[in-house]
Amino acid sequence: MKPRLVYVTVFVIAACGLGYELVAGSLASYLLGDSITQFSTAIGLYLFALGIGSFLSRFIERRLAERFIDIELAVAFAGGTSAAVLFIAFGNGAWFRPILYFEIVCVGTLVGLEIPLLMRMLKDEIEFKDLVSQVLTLDYVGALVVSLIFPLLFVPKLGLIRSALILGVANAAVALWSTWVFRSRLAAPAWPRARAAAVLIVLIAGMFTSEQLTRLGESQIYADEIVFAKNTPYQRIVITQNTAGFQLFLNGALQFSSADEYRYHEALVHPAMAAAKNPRRILVLGGGDGLAVREILKYNDIERVTLVDIDPAMTDLAREFEPLRKLNNSSLLDPRVELVHDDAMQWVAEANRIFDVIVADFPDPSSFSIGKLYTTRLYEKARAILAPDGAMVVQATSPLFARRSYWCIIKTIEAAGFNVRPYHAFVPSFGEWGYALAAPREFPVPNSTIPGLRHLDGPSMSALFQLPPDLGPIDAEPNRLNNQILVHYYEQEWHRWN
Amino acid sequence: MELSRRQALAAAGAYGLSLTFGAAACSTGRKRTPGSIAGPATARGHLLKEGAPLAPGAAEAAEIVIIGGGVAGLSAAWKLSNCNFNDFMLLDLEDAAGGTAISGTNETCSYPWGAHYVPVPTRDQRALCELLLEMRVVRGFDSSGRAVAAEEHICRAPEERLFYRGEWSEGLYLKPGASADDIKQFDRFESEMRALAGKRGRDGKRAFAIPMFHSSSDPEFRDLDRISMADWLAARNYNSPRLLWYVEYACRDDFGSYLRDVSAWAALHYYCSRLPDESSAPAAFLTWPEGNGRIVHYLSKNIKNRSRFGALALSVEPRPDAVRVVYHDFTSQTQREIIAKHVICATPQFITKRLVAGATDRNSFHYAPWLVANITLHSQPESRGFATAWDNVLYESDSLGYVVAKHQLDRRGPGDVWTWYRPFCDADAAAARTKLINYNFDELTDILSADLVRAHPDLADRLANVDFYKWGHGMVRPERGFLFGGARERAAAPIGNIHFAAADLGGLPLFEEAQWAGVRAAEEILAARGVSFTSSL
């Protein structure tokens, strides 16, 4: 056994050990937000687990080389798959924190065993003062190297899942190599060698399929603690919580914050209710959170509200998730509310009833499948089921951040034969927000509404229709199914701000 | 089976991966994909080739018999019906109408088996506009003369995407990594096409019109038929590999031909005929989940009682003021004889030459074999880069990529059907045809997976079913010198009371040509009978 070869081993395992620590810390702060707390907790726990490992090392007395190889393989497997396991756990919503801390303790303990064992194997071959000096030096140099490679190369080029797998591959390679380095100490080197090869293959194979795992969780960073997360066939629903309240995200895009959603939803619903004559039959497209319906149910004459949202998981959440059910005032449990789970475009095209007010509350047009819900086709079909003295309102993204997208939506509704009045509201969580009030006839700016609203009364409602110059009209083409120009505008414009 | 080295490597790589991860599921050999192989009723057709013995029963009398229920035959029937002339009978070898525009349906979706779109026409394509107005697909016309179609029938965005080096990008021209010279050549090509689109010959007709019958006979343009598209491009110093691929893709797609074989006139016609003038945008496409099956269904639904399927025409002989038709009826397994006043042979010329006595001069019509697969998926395969489009093309692949059947639907659900097209562009079509006919199901599946696995590594796990359709004579090929060599005109001329209608008589395998030919044949007969009618041509 040549000491120099062993030093290479020390260097690699030290580097990997710190690598796992960085993976755990980054993942915790990445997925849970609040990076100072998360990073600090993860690192503290990991260092503590190293201590547990060092303490436990005294109980390993015989066949050190074999145990060392076993531990290497365990580190390789547990550490290498740690990021993947955590991403999957996060994707499934439940048990994320317990799994995170268990992973940290597990990997930390195993890594804590490595150096003491190695030093004990070398103690008879190298003088103690040299041994301590060399091993610790390499330990810290390895740490420096990986802490530079990690942010500069690993995470940007490979992502967290593959970074962890690469570290695992390095550990497994050390195990495999050790079956030669320590062969004089091994009773039967073939068996540990086979196991090391197997772990190595599994980890390398993992690197080729990690793509979809990464995509599962990496699309967004949330600032606050996640209290609910679910992937549905249509979207990823996440709810986060902070001291001000809770927030709903769909595919990483903020839909509302409980602190100021009343501004958004009052501005969405009440102008259309004021512009329509005697509204009793209401259609809400999208808006599965039940918050627009809550506003609608403030009117006494409502006969029926039909809510068309493609995702049953969203309306279930609105009815069953306590904080949201409280916020929407149990609106989706009201007997006057009819829930339909269907594609809004198809449903509107096939509907053969007339509505007095239509509320189109879709997520922003960030993809072709949502972009189609902002086309002339949808608005033409909507016009066909809107009463002649009815009104339609469309949430129309931010006229400040995505001005051309906003005016594209206005032009599209006009191209479908509506008269349109653009208006805006200020919602702190979103910033300046835009809407379009539309009717199949000339209509005045609405200037009165029901009493008891928090954000709006008659004068403030008509003030929403004053657009300052920086939100004013600009050229845009109507959005049609065969051009989906809005998705292009939207992508270009939000790209500038992100 | 011929796989390029690259395809073989890609397939081997994917297979290796699936072994690593799906090892438990299929430790012994390949996973068997459920599916089938179909084709035109070739066994039935070969009765004709070998000349079955005649044993006719009692002769039936008919005014008009239309042989062939493809778009040409259906269009002839449509024109006759629209002129209130309903005394006709349509015979087709298959069990359903449609020819190369047939379609299928399963629990996931409807899908095409062949032709799957029609470009939005201009006002001067009168027969097509008349049909589409009647179907309520078209609502009117804009100021440039282009038809305005209802939004739900127009191909939705994104229309096309292209796969290259692990990633999809938008559009059909490969933009990522293009050099300044590539872009310059592409722009030059596009502007040259625009200029040609507006050109008219000395006879005042458009250089490249659709249907092609209306094109100018000015030799300045017709002579382009004598050179190949490859030569035309070379003469203009087009050498950007991306541009050449882009143009060749169009020729493989529309004509089943490589640049070196296809007539330059035909290739230019593809780019120029659908632009009404140099300033208008390229035509949008009309398409449906079942492709042109939508139109076939419309055309055939009202003539069901006058259609006989499983009816293989055996011979068509001119008689004085009449035509004798003998056909084999597969339902009753008997041979029948009809004495008709007029007959429309709406069959492709490789059939017609065996069918009609005295119609032998049709050997210069050549056809490209095609393989079509309908891939039913229970969930969406992975794909990197630009979002799934209607037409999904792989750069430098032998296939044409695939079309997504549910693209035009709002309610999409989890599964989908992809229609994958693979033309055999080999100069020796007969050899390619034999090769295609001999492939078994496993070989066809291998060709398909080797092509698509590069873009969708997990395709095998998403497959519910694969059905193949072998088109021995998929489409007529406008090879160099064919279009204006005189063969088409000779083949289209009536023989006694026998009239001819098929897309191949126009030399271009297009819906517009088939429809025009069918309507033209119907009008020839109406005129001969002295029936008064308004022409749709």
Side-chain angles (χ1 to χ4, degrees):
Chain A
M1 184 173 71
K2 293 203 183 81
R4 237 182 307 162
L5 293 180
V6 180
Y7 290 143
V8 176
T9 304
V10 173
F11 177 81
V12 173
I13 63 179
C16 290
L18 190 85
Y20 298 128
E21 185 179 324
L22 293 171
V23 167
S26 317
L27 257 173
S29 55
Y30 187 50
L31 295 180
L32 297 178
D34 189 9
S35 54
I36 296 177
T37 314
Q38 297 307 336
F39 216 90
S40 160
T41 331
I43 297 229
L45 193 61
Y46 187 83
L47 288 173
F48 174 66
L50 290 179
I52 300 177
S54 306
F55 172 76
L56 291 177
S57 69
R58 66 190 296 187
F59 299 107
I60 299 175
E61 291 179 357
R62 287 176 301 123
R63 301 167 70 182
L64 292 184
E66 272 162 47
R67 293 294 85 81
F68 175 74
I69 290 168
D70 289 343
I71 287 164
E72 273 313 294
L73 290 176
V75 170
F77 192 78
T81 58
S82 61
V85 166
L86 288 171
F87 267 115
I88 291 170
F90 183 74
N92 292 322
W95 294 96
F96 177 70
R97 273 160 200 268
I99 293 173
L100 169 70
Y101 296 130
F102 176 76
E103 280 275 359
I104 291 176
V105 171
C106 221
V107 175
T109 306
L110 289 166
V111 171
L113 284 163
E114 290 173 323
I115 298 287
L117 281 189
L118 204 60
M119 286 174 74
R120 278 165 59 196
M121 280 194 281
L122 300 176
K123 72 174 188 316
D124 301 333
E125 327 219 349
I126 306 168
E127 199 178 332
F128 188 65
K129 72 169 175 35
D130 291 335
L131 180 64
V132 171
S133 153
Q134 303 275 28
V135 167
L136 291 184
T137 305
L138 284 166
D139 191 5
Y140 295 127
V141 172
L144 175 67
V145 169
V146 85
S147 62
L148 293 176
I149 294 178
F150 187 79
L152 297 178
L153 190 68
F154 278 11
V155 175
K157 293 275 180 233
L158 300 173
L160 279 170
I161 291 181
R162 265 188 281 192
S163 301
L165 284 165
I166 277 238
L167 296 169
V169 166
N171 269 121
V174 163
L176 185 62
W177 189 46
S178 300
T179 61
W180 275 279
V181 176
F182 299 125
R183 63 182 172 281
S184 55
R185 297 170 181 238
L186 295 170
W191 175 227
R193 199 166 288 164
R195 274 181 300 165
V199 172
L200 201 56
I201 287 170
V202 167
L203 292 174
I204 290 173
M207 297 200 46
F208 289 98
T209 50
S210 60
E211 197 71 25
Q212 54 224 98
L213 300 176
T214 312
R215 218 178 291 162
L216 203 68
E218 215 170 43
S219 52
Q220 60 259 336
I221 301 171
Y222 300 102
D224 298 302
E225 185 192 359
I226 291 176
V227 291
F228 178 91
K230 183 171 184 172
N231 283 327
T232 78
Y234 307 100
Q235 56 203 345
R236 177 166 172 78
I237 305 174
V238 169
I239 294 178
T240 63
Q241 186 136 33
N242 61 20
T243 48
F246 68 96
Q247 299 80 35
L248 174 79
F249 294 83
L250 298 180
N251 295 332
L254 179 65
Q255 301 301 301
F256 69 79
S257 169
S258 63
D260 58 13
E261 58 77 23
Y262 70 93
R263 284 182 148 245
Y264 173 84
H265 287 105
E266 286 185 6
L268 176 71
V269 168
H270 299 293
M273 295 297 280
K277 192 179 163 198
N278 192 16
R280 285 167 296 122
R281 301 156 297 178
I282 319 294
L283 174 63
V284 180
L285 303 171
D289 53 32
L291 297 169
V293 177
R294 175 196 67 199
E295 294 301 316
I296 293 164
L297 293 176
K298 289 178 179 168
Y299 292 80
N300 294 325
D301 298 341
I302 299 297
E303 280 171 15
R304 166 162 291 212
V305 182
T306 304
L307 174 76
V308 182
D309 193 299
I310 198 164
D311 196 346
M314 191 58 233
T315 52
D316 286 351
L317 194 69
R319 293 195 295 180
E320 290 156 16
F321 185 71
E322 196 54 25
L324 181 52
R325 189 185 62 73
K326 275 192 185 145
L327 189 65
N328 67 33
N329 204 14
S330 303
S331 63
L332 299 193
L333 299 168
D334 191 287
R336 289 168 293 176
V337 175
E338 172 196 19
L339 292 186
V340 177
H341 297 122
D342 198 353
D343 178 86
M345 172 93 88
Q346 192 74 30
W347 192 88
V348 169
E350 290 168 4
N352 48 11
R353 309 186 236 163
I354 297 295
F355 295 91
D356 303 308
V357 167
I358 298 177
V359 178
D361 188 15
F362 299 117
D364 275 8
S366 57
S367 70
F368 293 114
S369 55
I370 304 176
K372 74 171 190 186
L373 302 171
Y374 291 85
T375 53
T376 44
R377 168 117 194 276
L378 184 105
Y379 300 135
E380 276 168 15
K381 298 288 176 190
R383 194 160 59 91
I385 57 166
L386 185 64
D389 48 9
M392 174 174 80
V393 62
V394 176
Q395 95 77 7
T397 191
S398 171
L400 181 64
F401 302 122
R403 190 168 165 189
R404 200 172 300 279
S405 306
Y406 178 75
W407 285 101
C408 169
I409 296 170
I410 305 286
K411 293 271 158 64
T412 309
I413 303 172
E414 282 173 348
F418 281 97
N419 285 295
V420 183
R421 286 193 180 272
Y423 69 101
H424 71 119
F426 183 74
V427 185
S429 300
F430 296 162
E432 244 348 300
W433 212 254
Y435 306 84
L437 181 59
R441 59 179 192 287
E442 297 276 353
F443 65 100
V445 169
N447 55 12
S448 72
T449 187
I450 50 170
L453 302 180
R454 290 168 74 189
H455 179 48
L456 294 180
D457 57 12
S460 59
M461 181 186 282
S462 47
L464 301 181
F465 290 81
Q466 301 286 332
L467 290 188
D470 63 340
L471 308 183
I474 50 173
D475 271 348
E477 285 204 39
N479 186 41
R480 298 182 191 279
L481 272 179
N482 58 314
N483 65 15
Q484 290 246 25
I485 190 88
L486 176 60
V487 176
H488 293 280
Y489 288 153
Y490 186 80
E491 194 178 320
Q492 284 162 14
E493 292 182 309
W494 281 96
H495 203 71
R496 281 210 312 266
W497 297 88
N498 290 315
Chain B
M1 191 175 65
E2 288 175 3
L3 289 179
S4 75
R5 197 178 118 79
R6 196 183 60 234
Q7 286 171 324
L9 284 175
Y15 199 59
L17 266 185
S18 69
L19 275 181
T20 317
F21 290 97
C26 52
S27 51
T28 53
R30 60 193 291 157
K31 197 164 91 190
R32 180 81 202 192
T33 311
S36 68
I37 303 181
T42 30
R44 291 177 179 177
H46 283 160
L47 268 179
L48 179 64
K49 213 169 174 177
E50 286 147 20
L54 270 174
E60 201 176 341
E63 290 297 313
I64 299 176
V65 170
I66 300 168
I67 300 171
V71 171
L74 292 172
S75 300
W78 170 76
K79 182 62 197 174
L80 293 174
S81 304
N82 278 4
C83 296
N84 291 319
F85 192 97
N86 290 305
D87 195 358
F88 61 84
M89 185 195 299
L90 185 140
L91 306 181
D92 197 284
L93 158 70
E94 306 287 333
D95 294 324
T100 52
I102 53 168
S103 56
T105 189
N106 63 20
E107 59 284 358
T108 306
C109 194
S110 296
Y111 46 81
W113 271 124
H116 63 103
Y117 69 90
V118 179
V120 174
T122 50
R123 195 195 282 273
D124 51 4
Q125 292 168 248
R126 293 179 51 196
L128 183 54
C129 289
E130 189 181 326
L131 170 65
L132 295 173
L133 279 164
E134 198 183 290
M135 289 176 71
R136 297 175 183 219
V137 168
V138 162
R139 292 169 168 177
F141 298 89
D142 67 15
S143 54
S144 76
R146 173 98 75 201
V148 176
E151 201 168 352
E152 60 262 42
H153 304 300
I154 303 177
C155 180
R156 297 180 174 200
E159 216 167 75
E160 289 144 344
R161 64 171 181 169
L162 185 59
F163 184 81
Y164 178 61
R165 295 206 179 156
E167 204 150 357
W168 294 93
S169 59
E170 188 175 13
L172 196 52
Y173 177 77
L174 181 61
K175 283 189 204 87
S179 70
D181 182 55
D182 287 328
I183 301 288
K184 222 171 94 189
Q185 290 198 25
F186 180 69
D187 291 345
R188 175 158 67 94
F189 181 78
E190 292 241 289
S191 63
E192 198 163 0
M193 292 305 111
R194 286 178 175 285
L196 274 175
K199 281 264 164 78
R200 283 173 187 270
R202 267 164 291 185
D203 51 7
K205 292 181 169 181
R206 291 190 62 195
F208 302 99
I210 196 161
M212 70 96 76
F213 178 83
H214 294 305
S215 303
S216 170
S217 55
D218 192 326
E220 180 190 344
F221 303 112
R222 289 211 164 179
D223 286 352
L224 291 168
D225 183 46
R226 297 203 198 144
I227 61 166
S228 74
M229 189 58 182
D231 292 340
W232 187 89
L233 289 163
R236 278 166 176 69
N237 297 319
Y238 287 112
N239 55 13
S240 153
R242 287 160 192 254
L243 179 70
L244 298 183
W245 178 88
Y246 173 78
V247 180
E248 184 154 84
Y249 178 84
C251 293
R252 291 192 297 128
D253 189 18
D254 259 43
F255 311 126
S257 292
Y258 293 124
L259 290 178
R260 60 174 179 265
D261 303 316
V262 75
S263 143
W265 193 94
L268 294 171
H269 180 271
Y270 168 85
Y271 285 103
C272 304
S273 60
R274 282 157 185 157
L275 293 167
D277 53 61
E278 54 267 63
S279 57
S280 53
F285 300 126
L286 300 171
T287 190
W288 303 272
E290 68 271 40
N292 292 358
R294 175 69 60 103
I295 305 176
V296 164
H297 179 77
Y298 176 83
L299 291 174
S300 58
K301 70 174 194 279
N302 291 330
I303 56 161
K304 287 240 153 62
N305 58 349
R306 280 159 286 163
S307 305
R308 293 185 188 173
F309 294 106
L312 167 65
L314 295 170
S315 74
V316 178
E317 289 167 43
R319 293 282 170 90
D321 294 326
V323 184
R324 177 173 177 264
V325 175
V326 178
Y327 73 96
H328 184 92
D329 174 30
F330 282 89
T331 322
S332 63
Q333 290 294 344
T334 56
Q335 289 188 2
R336 304 209 175 166
E337 183 181 0
I338 309 176
I339 304 296
K341 296 233 174 84
H342 286 92
V343 164
I344 296 174
C345 265
T347 47
Q349 306 320 304
F350 69 92
I351 303 281
T352 306
K353 71 181 176 191
R354 299 203 174 89
L355 204 57
V356 181
T360 46
D361 179 24
R362 281 160 161 85
N363 290 331
S364 52
F365 287 82
H366 294 160
Y367 300 83
W370 278 63
L371 173 62
V372 179
N374 270 301
I375 307 165
T376 306
L377 303 158
H378 51 67
S379 52
Q380 287 298 322
E382 220 186 292
S383 92
R384 284 184 52 159
F386 191 75
T388 306
W390 172 60
D391 195 9
N392 303 270
V393 178
L394 299 100
Y395 191 69
E396 289 181 334
S397 153
D398 290 336
S399 83
L400 297 170
Y402 59 88
V403 169
V404 173
K406 281 193 178 176
H407 185 78
Q408 292 294 98
L409 298 184
D410 290 317
R411 206 179 270 139
R412 301 203 42 177
D416 213 330
V417 178
W418 290 357
T419 309
W420 175 84
Y421 294 89
R422 162 85 154 88
F424 288 76
C425 306
D426 318 40
D428 185 353
R433 193 166 298 126
T434 311
K435 189 168 73 174
L436 172 65
I437 299 304
N438 288 332
Y439 282 136
N440 65 29
F441 184 77
D442 287 347
E443 289 167 328
L444 293 176
T445 323
D446 285 343
I447 295 175
L448 174 75
S449 333
D451 189 47
L452 291 182
V453 80
R454 295 182 274 156
H456 305 291
D458 60 341
L459 183 70
D461 301 332
R462 312 282 176 183
L463 279 184
N465 189 71
V466 183
D467 295 322
F468 292 98
Y469 204 98
K470 294 173 174 178
W471 294 101
H473 298 78
M475 52 169 57
V476 67
R477 220 183 231 179
E479 288 164 1
R480 202 153 46 87
F482 168 68
L483 291 176
F484 301 115
R488 295 183 308 105
E489 288 81 353
R490 287 194 294 277
I495 300 175
N497 284 359
I498 307 172
H499 299 259
F500 299 96
D504 58 2
L505 291 174
L508 303 171
L510 303 176
F511 180 91
E512 296 92 324
E513 295 294 340
Q515 195 221 6
W516 186 85
V519 172
R520 190 253 307 134
E523 292 190 359
E524 280 170 7
I525 294 175
L526 291 171
R529 289 173 160 255
V531 178
S532 81
F533 66 96
T534 315
S535 174
S536 302
L537 302 176

